[in-house]
């Protein structure tokens, strides 16, 4: 269901688009590629006197990571198509190879903050990296479901959001092995959209 229409007229100013694509590789690893684009909805004058036209990207950047089956990053590459300060921004690309060794589901956001905080990184590239964990989980959802059927290890996503509370009906239905709620709790809804929200 979309948001209701605004209750007053308004003028668009800025659009940020983030796109993420997951790939299964032939070497049993996975690639996650993320892209961020920022555009203004109006022309504006730059410090050098030139005019930046509406719709031309101010920021346009890409980030690719390769992960193993345990969500550990084994390769990383950053690239820029557009940045407001040219080479002063883009020279940080190589630093993002330091994502290698970080694990997407084990304190990843804190690790990014510690390694790339303030002048050690690019604000927007670091922000783009923060979408990687949930995107990777989505990309590997089929494998994760298969693994959960036989694994004796509790799936990491449980208790990670309100729907996956281990005392709640979604876990009771889809992860009964790990359900710890009241045995007399109401059965989870049979609505198939519940399953789509867990993957």
């Amino acid at each position: 269901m979309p948001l209701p229409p605004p209750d007053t007229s308004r003028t668009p100013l800025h659009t940020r688009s983030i796109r993420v694509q997951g790939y299964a590789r032939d070497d049993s690893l996975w690639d996650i590629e993320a892209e961020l684009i920022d555009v203004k909805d109006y022309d504006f004058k730059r410090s050098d006197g030139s005019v930046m036209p509406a719709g031309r990207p101010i920021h346009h950047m890409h980030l690719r990571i390769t992960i193993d089956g345990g969500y550990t990053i084994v390769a990383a590459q950053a690239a820029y198509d557009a940045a407001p300060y040219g080479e002063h921004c883009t020279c940080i690309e190589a630093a993002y190879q330091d994502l290698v060794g970080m694990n997407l589901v084990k304190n990843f956001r804190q690790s990014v903050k510690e390694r790339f905080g303030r002048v050690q990184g690019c604000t927007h590239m670091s922000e783009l990296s923060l979408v990687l964990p949930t995107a990777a989980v989505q990309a590997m959802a089929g494998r994760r479901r298969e693994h959960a059927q036989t694994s004796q290890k509790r799936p990491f996503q449980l208790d990670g959001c309100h729907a996956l509370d281990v005392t709640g009906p979604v876990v009771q239905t889809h992860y009964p092995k790990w359900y710890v709620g009241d045995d007399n709790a109401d059965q989870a809804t049979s609505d198939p959209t519940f399953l789509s929200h867990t993957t």
Side-chain angles (χ1 to χ4, degrees):
M1 181 177 181
L3 289 169
D7 56 8
T8 187
S9 61
R10 51 190 192 170
T11 301
L13 298 175
H14 179 84
T15 301
R16 168 166 292 180
S17 302
I18 294 176
R19 180 177 180 272
V20 185
Q21 179 75 52
Y23 301 89
R25 296 165 43 122
D26 292 342
D27 58 3
S28 299
L29 299 174
W30 289 263
D31 280 344
I32 309 296
E33 294 189 357
E35 176 185 34
L36 181 151
I37 302 175
D38 277 336
V39 299
K40 299 295 185 189
D41 291 277
Y42 53 87
D43 297 348
F44 66 91
K45 186 174 288 189
R46 305 180 70 167
S47 59
D48 63 3
S50 64
V51 174
M52 184 72 167
R56 180 180 294 175
I58 301 166
H59 299 106
H60 187 181
M61 53 197 59
H62 309 267
L63 184 59
R64 176 194 297 139
I65 60 167
T66 302
I67 58 175
D68 65 17
Y71 296 93
T72 295
I73 299 173
V74 299
Q77 184 174 6
Y80 290 80
D81 285 330
Y85 304 110
E87 67 275 11
H88 301 292
C89 291
T90 62
C91 67
I92 199 69
E93 287 177 350
Y96 283 85
Q97 293 176 15
D98 285 354
L99 289 167
V100 172
M102 295 184 188
N103 187 286
L104 293 178
V105 297
K106 296 177 182 176
N107 301 312
F108 177 72
R109 291 178 176 88
Q110 182 61 33
S111 296
V112 168
K113 181 178 178 180
E114 291 171 356
R115 169 59 187 87
F116 301 105
R118 300 178 68 82
V119 299
Q120 298 182 88
C122 164
T123 299
H124 298 84
M125 190 67 78
S126 295
E127 191 169 314
L128 182 59
S129 76
L130 300 183
V131 307
L132 298 173
T134 53
V137 169
Q138 291 292 318
M140 296 170 69
R143 174 186 173 277
R144 193 175 74 248
R145 279 194 299 269
E146 293 173 5
H147 181 70
Q149 301 300 318
T150 57
S151 176
Q152 297 304 309
K153 184 177 180 181
R154 192 179 101 151
F156 71 86
Q157 66 269 27
L158 300 187
D159 276 339
C161 72
H162 76 280
L164 293 176
D165 180 343
V166 294
T167 68
V170 173
V171 172
Q172 184 180 24
T173 297
H174 301 294
Y175 300 92
K177 180 177 181 179
W178 307 104
Y179 174 68
V180 298
D182 184 349
D183 288 340
N184 296 320
D186 293 336
Q187 293 294 314
T189 179
S190 59
D191 183 348
T193 61
F194 260 73
L195 180 57
S196 69
H197 291 313
T198 69
T199 59

